[in-house]
Amino acid sequence: MKAISFDEKTRVFSLRTNNSVYQMQVRDYNTLIHLYYGADVGDCEVDYRIVMLDRGFSGNPYEAGDDRTFSLDVLPQEYSGYGNGDYRINAMECEHEDGSDAIALRYLRHEIKPGKYALEGLPAMFAREADEATTLDITLADAASGLQVHLLYGVFPKLDVITRAVRVLNAGEKVVKIKRAMSMAMDFPNMHMDMIHFYGRHAMERQMERMPLHHGVALVESKRGTSSHQHNPFVILCDHNASERSGSCYGFALAYSGNFRCEVEVDQIDQTRLVMGIHPYHFTFGLRPGETFETPEVIMAYSEHGLGGLSRLYHDAYRSNLIRSRYVTSPRPILVNNWEATYFQFDDEKLFSIAKEAKDLGLDMFVLDDGWFGKRDTDCSGLGDWTVNEQKLSGGLKRLVDRVHGLGLKFGLWVEPEMVSEDSELYRQHPDWVLRVPGRLMSRSRYQLNLDITRKEVRDHVMDQICGIIEECGIDYIKWDMNRSVDNVYSAALSADRQGEVFHRYVLGVYEMMERLVTQFPNLLFENCSGGGGRFDAGMLYYSPQIWCSDNTDARDRLTIQYGTSFGYPISTMGAHVSACPNHQTGCTTPFETRAVVASAGTFGFELDLTRMTAEEKAQAREQIRRYREIEPLVLCGDYYRLTGPYEKKNYIVWQFVSKDKRETAVCGVMLHGEANPHIHLIDLDGLLPQARYQDLDSGRVYSGAALMKAGLPLPIARGDCQPILFRFKRVDGE
Ligand code: DGJ
C-alpha cells in the first residue's frame, strides 16, 4: 500500500507506515477533520468515527447555515485557528493590520511528493533515498487575509515515523503578524490516556513523570530560549495500562532547541487535543506579502508495543534519519576530559601529564575543557575572546595539540560560542553585541551575557575565530557549551515591531553557526552541551551525534537521568563519564566498577585526574575500557530494553542491549543496596530468540533464549550499596 493516498471520492487522506495509520478528511465547507492516528486498521477509512450532534454553546460556522450539528468547537480538526468558534487551544493565532485576529483555515489543495520535505535553516529528519519517505503538503487558506498554511507531513514507512511541520505563506496583500504557529495539532476522541513528560533542573535533567490526563490543560514548556533542563520537548501519550512491553503509545518530539510548548487539553466532552511547537511567549513574526515562515518539525511515532517499543522506534529513526554525523554508528573515541580533574587550574604540563596517563590506559582522546582562552581563570571573565591563553599554555595551543597527537591521541576542545563575559575584550569593543533591553538593568547568570547571535556579523566574528583555531591546531572534537538561559531579550539590530522574533532568530543563529561547523569540518566529532543536558533535544542531534547528558556525574543520579533520557533518545547520544569519588556534585561515593557500568550506557569516557589513580584503579580502568569496547557495538547500534526502572521500588535497576541480529546481548545495571539474608532477584531478559542458545561469557553457562526471557536470570547478591551488574551473552548454537 502507498505511504500516502488520497481518495478523491471520500476526500480521505491515508498516511501509512508499516504498523500505523493516520487519516484525515476534507469535510463540509472544506474543513480538514482529523480522523485517526494509531494501529493499522487495514484498508478501511474511519470517517464513521465522526458523530455530529447539536451542542449548546458550541456555535456553527456561517457556511453551515441551519446545520447546528457542525461545530468547530467539538469536531476533531487537523490544524485550527483562533477566532473561529473553536474555544479549545488552537494551533494558530494571527494579528491582521486592522487589529482583528480571526483565522479560518479551509482546505485549498494538496500535493504528494516522493522524498522528505526540508525546512530552511532548521533541523529535520531526512531521507537518504527518495523511496525512504513520502511528503504530503496540504494547503489550507484563510480567505479573508490570503494567508496560506501548508501542513507538511513526512511519512517514513519502515521507521513507523510521521513528521509534521508547517509553512505559512502570506499570499495576501497586507502584513500579517503570526502570534502562534504550532508545528502540529492532534485530536484524540477520548481522554483515557496518561501523559509522560521529562522535567528536571540543572544537574538533574529528564526525570520521568507520568500522570493521567485531566480536564483542562496540562502543559510542558520552556521560556528560557533553550529547550531547557526544566522540561524536555518530548512527550508521550499512552494507555493507562501501557507498560514497557505492551500498550498503545504515542511519542511527540519537537526538533527544536529554543522556547517550546506542548499543551494537552481535555475538553468538555472528554476529547483530547495536543498541540506542540514554538512557545507563543514573546513570539511574533511579521509576514509581509509574499513572505513565508516555517515552524520546526515534530517527529511522531506510534507503537502498540509499549514504552520500550516506542523508544526503540525513536532510537532507530534518529540513528538512521536524523543524526547526520559520520560517527553516528561508528565507535567513538573514548576520552578523558579535564574539567572535573582541574577546573580552571591547569597549565600545559598538567594537561600533558593527564594525556600521557590516558595513552597508558588505552584511551583515544584528550579533551581540554573550559579555561584555555582569553583571561579565563575563573568563570567571571574571558568568554568571547577565543585566543589562546599562553600564560597557561606556554608555546600556544598548537604546541599542546601536537604533543598530544604525538602520543597517538586525538585532541578535543571546549568552546562556548554564544556567550560573552562582561570582563572580556570582545565586550569592551562591542558592548552592543549582546542581547540587552534598552533602559533596563540586565539579568546576569554565571557572569555572562548572551551574544546577539541574531546578527550575522556577530555569528561570523565568533565562528571565524573558533574555526580558525580548529583549522590551525588540527582539533578532532568540539564540545559546544551554553551556560545560561537566554534573557534580556532585545536586539539592537531589529526594529521595535520585530522584537518578538528575537528568541526564534537566536535559535536560527545557533543552527546556522553549527551548520558552518559541521560543513567546514565534516570529520570533526561534535558534542553538544548546555550546562550538561539543558539542550538535549532532537534539533541538536541533527548537528551532533552526542550531547553531554548532565553536569551530574554521580552514577546513582545518572540512573534516573539516563533512564529518563532513554525514552526519547538513543543511548549512543548520551555523554557519560566515569568521575572521581566522593562525587563533586553530590558528595556521594559509589564503587568504581558501578561508575563504569553506568557510564557504559552512553558515550563512554573519564572525567577525573588520571594522574591520581592508584595502580589498582588503573588496572580496573583498563578492564572497563576493554569491556566497553566489547559492548560498544550494542550501545551504538543495538536495541535497548529498560528491564526495570528507578520508580519501581525494586532494589535494582537493570537495562539490556541486544544486537539487531540477536546474537549478542549485554545486561547491565546496579543493585542499589546490600540486603541482610538477601532475596533472590530474578530478572526476565527481553528481545532474544526463544529457541536460540546463549552463553554467559563469564561463567560459560549456556541458556536458551526462552529460559532467559521467561524463567529469568538471578541477579548477583550485593554486599554494600550500588553494586554493578554486568552479564554478556553470545549466541552459540551455530545458527
Ligand atoms: C558546563 C559543562 O556542562 C561542564 O561539563 C563544563 O564544560 C563547564 N560548563 C565548563 O564551564
Side-chain angles (χ1 to χ4, degrees), residues 640-703:
Y640 180 74
Y641 295 86
R642 291 175 292 264
L643 299 185
T644 63
Y647 307 108
E648 287 177 28
K649 294 203 176 122
K650 290 193 169 136
N651 191 15
Y652 48 89
I653 298 172
V654 185
W655 58 91
Q656 184 191 359
F657 299 100
V658 183
S659 62
K660 287 282 179 195
D661 62 7
K662 298 187 183 292
R663 305 193 74 83
E664 284 181 58
T665 186
V667 180
C668 315
V670 177
M671 294 294 305
L672 297 175
H673 306 290
E675 299 173 24
N677 195 3
H679 297 93
I680 307 301
H681 299 290
L682 289 166
I683 186 101
D684 291 345
L685 306 196
D686 210 336
L688 303 177
L689 293 171
Q691 74 285 8
R693 302 196 75 75
Y694 294 92
Q695 183 171 42
D696 180 332
L697 296 186
D698 291 314
S699 71
R701 184 173 174 139
V702 175
Y703 306 79

Coordinates of all heavy atoms in Angstrom, one line a residue, residues 640-703:
Y640 N 17.5 -1.4 22.7 CA 17.7 -1.1 24.2 C 16.4 -1.5 24.9 O 15.3 -1.1 24.4 CB 18.0 0.4 24.3 CG 18.2 0.9 25.7 CD1 19.3 0.6 26.4 CD2 17.2 1.6 26.4 CE1 19.5 1.0 27.7 CE2 17.4 2.1 27.7 CZ 18.5 1.8 28.3 OH 18.7 2.2 29.6
Y641 N 16.5 -2.1 26.0 CA 15.4 -2.5 26.8 C 15.6 -2.1 28.2 O 16.6 -2.4 28.9 CB 15.2 -4.1 26.8 CG 14.9 -4.6 25.5 CD1 15.9 -5.0 24.6 CD2 13.6 -4.9 25.1 CE1 15.6 -5.5 23.3 CE2 13.3 -5.4 23.8 CZ 14.3 -5.7 23.0 OH 14.0 -6.2 21.7
R642 N 14.6 -1.3 28.8 CA 14.6 -1.0 30.2 C 13.9 -2.1 30.9 O 12.7 -2.3 30.9 CB 13.8 0.3 30.4 CG 14.5 1.6 29.9 CD 13.6 2.8 30.0 NE 12.4 2.7 29.2 CZ 12.3 3.2 28.0 NH1 13.3 4.0 27.4 NH2 11.2 3.1 27.3
L643 N 14.7 -3.0 31.6 CA 14.1 -4.1 32.2 C 13.4 -3.8 33.5 O 12.4 -4.3 33.9 CB 15.1 -5.2 32.4 CG 15.8 -5.8 31.2 CD1 16.8 -6.9 31.5 CD2 14.8 -6.2 30.1
T644 N 14.0 -2.8 34.2 CA 13.3 -2.2 35.4 C 13.7 -0.8 35.4 O 14.7 -0.3 34.8 CB 13.8 -2.8 36.7 OG1 15.2 -2.5 36.9 CG2 13.5 -4.3 36.8
G645 N 12.9 0.0 36.2 CA 13.2 1.5 36.2 C 13.3 1.9 37.7 O 13.0 1.2 38.6
P646 N 13.8 3.2 37.8 CA 14.1 3.7 39.2 C 12.9 3.9 40.0 O 13.0 4.2 41.2 CB 14.9 4.9 38.9 CG 14.6 5.3 37.5 CD 14.2 4.1 36.8
Y647 N 11.7 3.9 39.4 CA 10.5 4.3 40.2 C 9.7 3.0 40.6 O 8.5 3.1 41.0 CB 9.6 5.2 39.3 CG 10.4 6.4 38.8 CD1 10.7 6.6 37.5 CD2 10.8 7.4 39.7 CE1 11.5 7.7 37.1 CE2 11.6 8.5 39.3 CZ 11.9 8.6 38.0 OH 12.7 9.7 37.5
E648 N 10.3 1.9 40.4 CA 9.5 0.6 40.7 C 9.6 0.1 42.1 O 9.2 -1.0 42.3 CB 10.0 -0.4 39.7 CG 9.5 -0.2 38.3 CD 10.0 -1.2 37.3 OE1 10.2 -2.3 37.6 OE2 10.1 -0.8 36.1
K649 N 10.3 0.8 42.9 CA 10.5 0.3 44.3 C 11.2 -1.1 44.3 O 10.8 -2.0 45.0 CB 9.2 0.2 45.1 CG 8.6 1.6 45.3 CD 7.6 1.6 46.5 CE 7.2 3.0 46.7 NZ 5.7 3.2 46.6
K650 N 12.1 -1.3 43.4 CA 12.9 -2.5 43.4 C 14.3 -2.2 43.9 O 14.7 -1.0 43.8 CB 12.9 -3.1 42.0 CG 11.6 -3.7 41.6 CD 11.7 -4.5 40.4 CE 10.4 -5.3 40.2 NZ 10.0 -5.3 38.8
N651 N 15.0 -3.2 44.3 CA 16.4 -3.0 44.8 C 17.4 -3.0 43.7 O 18.6 -3.1 43.9 CB 16.7 -4.0 45.9 CG 18.0 -3.6 46.6 OD1 18.4 -2.5 46.5 ND2 18.6 -4.6 47.3
Y652 N 16.9 -2.9 42.4 CA 17.9 -3.0 41.3 C 17.3 -2.2 40.1 O 16.1 -2.1 40.0 CB 18.2 -4.4 40.9 CG 16.9 -5.3 40.8 CD1 16.3 -5.4 39.6 CD2 16.4 -6.0 41.9 CE1 15.1 -6.1 39.5 CE2 15.3 -6.7 41.8 CZ 14.6 -6.8 40.6 OH 13.5 -7.5 40.4
I653 N 18.2 -1.7 39.3 CA 17.8 -1.0 38.1 C 18.6 -1.7 37.0 O 19.8 -1.8 37.1 CB 18.1 0.5 38.1 CG1 17.3 1.1 39.2 CG2 17.8 1.1 36.8 CD1 17.6 2.5 39.5
V654 N 17.9 -2.3 36.0 CA 18.6 -3.1 35.0 C 18.1 -2.8 33.6 O 16.9 -2.5 33.4 CB 18.3 -4.6 35.3 CG1 19.2 -5.5 34.3 CG2 18.7 -5.0 36.7
W655 N 19.1 -2.7 32.7 CA 18.8 -2.5 31.3 C 19.5 -3.5 30.5 O 20.5 -4.1 30.9 CB 19.1 -1.0 30.9 CG 20.6 -0.6 31.1 CD1 21.6 -0.7 30.3 CD2 21.1 -0.1 32.4 NE1 22.7 -0.2 30.9 CE2 22.5 0.2 32.1 CE3 20.6 0.3 33.6 CZ2 23.3 0.7 33.1 CZ3 21.4 0.8 34.6 CH2 22.8 1.0 34.3
Q656 N 19.1 -3.6 29.2 CA 19.7 -4.6 28.4 C 19.9 -4.1 26.9 O 19.1 -3.4 26.4 CB 18.8 -5.8 28.3 CG 19.3 -7.0 27.6 CD 18.2 -8.1 27.4 OE1 17.0 -7.9 27.8 NE2 18.5 -9.1 26.7
F657 N 21.0 -4.4 26.4 CA 21.3 -4.2 24.9 C 21.2 -5.5 24.2 O 21.8 -6.5 24.6 CB 22.7 -3.6 24.7 CG 22.9 -2.3 25.4 CD1 23.6 -2.2 26.7 CD2 22.4 -1.1 24.9 CE1 23.8 -1.0 27.3 CE2 22.6 0.1 25.6 CZ 23.3 0.2 26.8
V658 N 20.6 -5.5 23.0 CA 20.6 -6.7 22.2 C 21.0 -6.3 20.8 O 20.5 -5.3 20.2 CB 19.1 -7.3 22.1 CG1 19.1 -8.6 21.3 CG2 18.6 -7.6 23.5
S659 N 21.9 -7.0 20.2 CA 22.3 -6.7 18.8 C 21.1 -6.9 17.9 O 20.3 -7.8 18.2 CB 23.5 -7.5 18.4 OG 23.2 -8.9 18.4
K660 N 21.1 -6.2 16.8 CA 20.0 -6.3 15.8 C 19.8 -7.8 15.3 O 18.7 -8.2 15.1 CB 20.2 -5.4 14.6 CG 20.0 -3.9 15.0 CD 18.5 -3.5 15.1 CE 18.4 -2.1 15.5 NZ 17.0 -1.8 15.9
D661 N 20.9 -8.5 15.2 CA 20.8 -9.9 14.7 C 20.5 -10.8 15.9 O 20.5 -12.1 15.7 CB 22.1 -10.3 13.9 CG 23.3 -10.3 14.8 OD1 23.2 -10.1 16.1 OD2 24.4 -10.5 14.3
K662 N 20.4 -10.3 17.1 CA 20.0 -11.1 18.3 C 21.1 -12.1 18.6 O 20.8 -13.1 19.3 CB 18.6 -11.7 18.1 CG 17.5 -10.7 18.0 CD 16.2 -11.2 18.0 CE 15.1 -10.2 17.8 NZ 15.0 -9.2 18.8
R663 N 22.3 -11.9 18.2 CA 23.3 -12.9 18.5 C 24.1 -12.5 19.8 O 24.8 -13.3 20.4 CB 24.4 -13.0 17.4 CG 23.8 -13.3 16.0 CD 24.8 -13.6 15.0 NE 25.3 -15.0 15.3 CZ 24.8 -16.1 14.9 NH1 23.7 -16.1 14.2 NH2 25.3 -17.3 15.2
E664 N 24.0 -11.2 20.2 CA 24.7 -10.8 21.4 C 23.8 -10.0 22.3 O 22.9 -9.2 21.8 CB 25.9 -9.9 21.0 CG 27.0 -10.7 20.4 CD 28.2 -9.7 20.1 OE1 28.6 -9.0 21.0 OE2 28.5 -9.7 18.9
T665 N 24.0 -10.1 23.6 CA 23.3 -9.2 24.5 C 24.1 -8.9 25.7 O 25.0 -9.7 26.1 CB 21.9 -9.9 24.9 OG1 21.2 -8.9 25.7 CG2 22.1 -11.1 25.7
A666 N 23.9 -7.7 26.2 CA 24.6 -7.3 27.5 C 23.5 -6.9 28.5 O 22.6 -6.1 28.1 CB 25.6 -6.2 27.2
V667 N 23.6 -7.4 29.7 CA 22.6 -7.0 30.7 C 23.4 -6.2 31.8 O 24.3 -6.7 32.3 CB 22.0 -8.3 31.3 CG1 21.0 -7.9 32.4 CG2 21.4 -9.1 30.3
C668 N 23.0 -5.0 32.0 CA 23.8 -4.1 32.8 C 22.8 -3.4 33.9 O 21.6 -3.3 33.6 CB 24.4 -2.9 32.0 SG 25.1 -3.4 30.5
G669 N 23.4 -3.0 35.0 CA 22.6 -2.3 35.9 C 23.3 -2.2 37.3 O 24.5 -2.3 37.4
V670 N 22.5 -1.8 38.3 CA 23.0 -1.6 39.6 C 22.1 -2.2 40.6 O 20.9 -2.0 40.6 CB 23.1 0.0 39.8 CG1 23.6 0.3 41.2 CG2 24.0 0.6 38.8
M671 N 22.7 -2.9 41.6 CA 22.0 -3.4 42.8 C 22.1 -2.2 43.7 O 23.2 -1.8 44.1 CB 22.6 -4.6 43.4 CG 22.6 -5.9 42.6 SD 21.0 -6.6 42.3 CE 20.3 -6.8 44.0
L672 N 20.9 -1.7 44.2 CA 21.0 -0.4 44.9 C 21.6 -0.6 46.3 O 22.3 0.2 46.8 CB 19.6 0.2 45.0 CG 19.1 0.6 43.6 CD1 17.7 1.1 43.6 CD2 20.0 1.7 42.9
H673 N 21.1 -1.6 47.0 CA 21.6 -1.8 48.4 C 21.9 -3.3 48.7 O 21.2 -4.2 48.2 CB 20.5 -1.4 49.4 CG 20.0 0.0 49.2 ND1 20.8 1.1 49.4 CD2 18.8 0.4 48.7 CE1 20.1 2.2 49.1 NE2 18.9 1.8 48.7
G674 N 22.9 -3.5 49.6 CA 23.1 -4.8 50.0 C 22.0 -5.2 51.0 O 21.4 -4.4 51.6
E675 N 21.6 -6.5 51.0 CA 20.5 -6.9 51.8 C 21.0 -8.0 52.8 O 21.8 -8.9 52.4 CB 19.4 -7.6 51.0 CG 18.8 -6.7 49.9 CD 17.8 -7.5 49.0 OE1 17.3 -8.6 49.4 OE2 17.6 -7.1 47.9
A676 N 20.5 -7.9 54.1 CA 20.8 -9.0 55.0 C 19.9 -10.1 54.6 O 18.7 -9.9 54.2 CB 20.5 -8.5 56.4
N677 N 20.4 -11.3 54.8 CA 19.5 -12.5 54.4 C 18.8 -12.2 53.1 O 17.6 -12.1 53.0 CB 18.5 -12.7 55.6 CG 17.9 -14.1 55.5 OD1 18.3 -14.9 54.6 ND2 17.0 -14.4 56.3
P678 N 19.5 -12.1 52.0 CA 19.0 -11.5 50.8 C 18.0 -12.3 50.1 O 17.9 -13.5 50.1 CB 20.3 -11.4 49.9 CG 21.2 -12.4 50.5 CD 21.0 -12.5 51.9
H679 N 17.2 -11.5 49.3 CA 16.2 -12.1 48.4 C 17.0 -12.6 47.1 O 18.1 -12.2 46.9 CB 15.2 -11.1 47.8 CG 14.4 -10.5 48.9 ND1 14.7 -9.4 49.5 CD2 13.2 -10.9 49.4 CE1 13.7 -9.1 50.4 NE2 12.8 -10.0 50.3
I680 N 16.4 -13.6 46.4 CA 17.0 -13.9 45.1 C 16.2 -13.1 44.1 O 15.0 -13.4 44.0 CB 16.8 -15.4 44.8 CG1 17.4 -16.3 46.0 CG2 17.4 -15.8 43.5 CD1 18.9 -16.0 46.3
H681 N 16.8 -12.2 43.4 CA 16.1 -11.4 42.4 C 16.3 -12.0 41.0 O 17.4 -12.0 40.5 CB 16.6 -10.0 42.5 CG 16.5 -9.3 43.8 ND1 15.2 -8.9 44.3 CD2 17.4 -8.9 44.7 CE1 15.4 -8.3 45.4 NE2 16.6 -8.3 45.8
L682 N 15.2 -12.4 40.4 CA 15.3 -13.0 39.1 C 14.8 -11.9 38.1 O 13.8 -11.3 38.3 CB 14.4 -14.2 39.0 CG 14.9 -15.4 39.7 CD1 13.7 -16.5 39.8 CD2 16.1 -16.1 39.0
I683 N 15.5 -11.7 37.0 CA 15.1 -10.7 36.1 C 14.9 -11.4 34.7 O 15.7 -12.2 34.3 CB 16.2 -9.6 36.0 CG1 15.8 -8.5 35.1 CG2 17.6 -10.1 35.4 CD1 15.3 -7.3 35.9
D684 N 13.8 -11.0 34.1 CA 13.4 -11.6 32.8 C 14.1 -10.7 31.7 O 13.8 -9.5 31.6 CB 11.9 -11.6 32.5 CG 11.2 -12.6 33.4 OD1 11.9 -13.5 34.0 OD2 10.0 -12.5 33.6
L685 N 14.9 -11.4 30.9 CA 15.5 -10.6 29.8 C 14.5 -10.4 28.7 O 13.4 -10.9 28.7 CB 16.7 -11.3 29.2 CG 17.8 -11.7 30.3 CD1 19.1 -12.0 29.6 CD2 18.0 -10.6 31.3
D686 N 14.9 -9.7 27.6 CA 13.9 -9.3 26.5 C 14.7 -9.4 25.2 O 15.9 -9.4 25.2 CB 13.4 -7.9 26.8 CG 12.0 -7.8 26.2 OD1 11.6 -8.5 25.3 OD2 11.2 -6.9 26.7
G687 N 13.9 -9.4 24.2 CA 14.5 -9.2 22.8 C 15.3 -10.4 22.2 O 15.9 -10.2 21.2
L688 N 15.4 -11.5 22.9 CA 16.2 -12.6 22.4 C 15.3 -13.6 21.5 O 14.1 -13.5 21.5 CB 16.8 -13.4 23.6 CG 17.6 -12.6 24.6 CD1 18.1 -13.4 25.7 CD2 18.8 -12.0 23.9
L689 N 16.0 -14.5 20.8 CA 15.3 -15.5 20.1 C 15.0 -16.7 21.1 O 16.0 -17.2 21.6 CB 16.1 -16.0 18.9 CG 16.4 -15.0 17.8 CD1 17.4 -15.6 16.8 CD2 15.1 -14.7 17.1
P690 N 13.8 -17.0 21.3 CA 13.4 -18.0 22.3 C 14.2 -19.3 22.1 O 14.7 -20.0 23.0 CB 11.9 -18.2 22.2 CG 11.4 -17.1 21.4 CD 12.6 -16.5 20.6
Q691 N 14.3 -19.8 20.8 CA 14.9 -21.1 20.5 C 16.4 -21.1 20.5 O 17.0 -22.1 20.5 CB 14.3 -21.7 19.2 CG 14.8 -21.0 18.0 CD 14.2 -19.7 17.7 OE1 13.5 -19.1 18.5 NE2 14.5 -19.1 16.5
A692 N 17.0 -19.9 20.4 CA 18.5 -19.8 20.3 C 19.1 -20.1 21.7 O 18.5 -20.0 22.7 CB 18.9 -18.4 19.8
R693 N 20.4 -20.5 21.6 CA 21.1 -20.8 22.9 C 22.2 -19.7 23.1 O 22.9 -19.3 22.2 CB 21.8 -22.2 22.8 CG 20.7 -23.2 22.6 CD 21.1 -24.6 22.9 NE 21.2 -24.9 24.3 CZ 20.2 -25.1 25.1 NH1 18.9 -25.0 24.6 NH2 20.3 -25.4 26.4
Y694 N 22.2 -19.2 24.3 CA 23.1 -18.1 24.6 C 24.1 -18.5 25.7 O 23.6 -19.0 26.7 CB 22.3 -16.9 25.1 CG 21.5 -16.3 24.0 CD1 20.1 -16.7 23.8 CD2 22.0 -15.3 23.1 CE1 19.3 -16.2 22.8 CE2 21.2 -14.8 22.1 CZ 19.9 -15.2 21.9 OH 19.1 -14.7 20.9
Q695 N 25.4 -18.2 25.5 CA 26.4 -18.5 26.5 C 26.8 -17.2 27.3 O 27.0 -16.2 26.8 CB 27.6 -19.1 25.9 CG 28.6 -19.5 26.9 CD 29.8 -20.3 26.3 OE1 30.3 -19.9 25.2 NE2 30.2 -21.3 26.9
D696 N 26.8 -17.4 28.7 CA 27.3 -16.3 29.5 C 28.8 -16.3 29.4 O 29.5 -17.3 29.7 CB 26.9 -16.7 31.0 CG 27.3 -15.6 32.0 OD1 28.4 -14.9 31.7 OD2 26.7 -15.4 33.0
L697 N 29.3 -15.2 28.9 CA 30.8 -15.1 28.6 C 31.6 -15.2 29.8 O 32.8 -15.5 29.7 CB 31.1 -13.9 27.8 CG 30.4 -13.8 26.4 CD1 30.9 -12.6 25.6 CD2 30.6 -15.1 25.6
D698 N 31.1 -14.9 31.0 CA 31.9 -15.1 32.2 C 31.9 -16.4 32.8 O 32.9 -17.1 33.1 CB 31.5 -14.0 33.2 CG 31.9 -12.6 32.8 OD1 33.0 -12.5 32.3 OD2 31.1 -11.7 32.8
S699 N 30.6 -17.0 33.0 CA 30.5 -18.3 33.7 C 30.6 -19.4 32.7 O 30.9 -20.6 33.1 CB 29.2 -18.4 34.4 OG 28.1 -18.5 33.5
G700 N 30.4 -19.2 31.4 CA 30.4 -20.2 30.4 C 29.1 -21.0 30.3 O 28.9 -21.8 29.4
R701 N 28.2 -20.7 31.2 CA 27.0 -21.5 31.2 C 26.1 -21.1 30.0 O 26.0 -20.0 29.6 CB 26.3 -21.2 32.5 CG 25.0 -22.0 32.6 CD 24.3 -21.9 33.9 NE 23.1 -22.7 33.5 CZ 22.5 -23.6 34.3 NH1 23.0 -23.8 35.5 NH2 21.5 -24.2 33.8
V702 N 25.4 -22.1 29.5 CA 24.6 -21.9 28.3 C 23.1 -22.0 28.7 O 22.7 -22.8 29.4 CB 24.9 -22.9 27.2 CG1 23.9 -22.7 26.0 CG2 26.3 -22.7 26.7
Y703 N 22.3 -21.0 28.1 CA 20.8 -20.9 28.4 C 20.1 -20.9 27.1 O 20.6 -20.4 26.1 CB 20.5 -19.6 29.2 CG 21.3 -19.4 30.4 CD1 22.6 -18.9 30.4 CD2 20.7 -19.5 31.7 CE1 23.3 -18.6 31.5 CE2 21.4 -19.2 32.9 CZ 22.7 -18.8 32.8 OH 23.4 -18.5 33.9

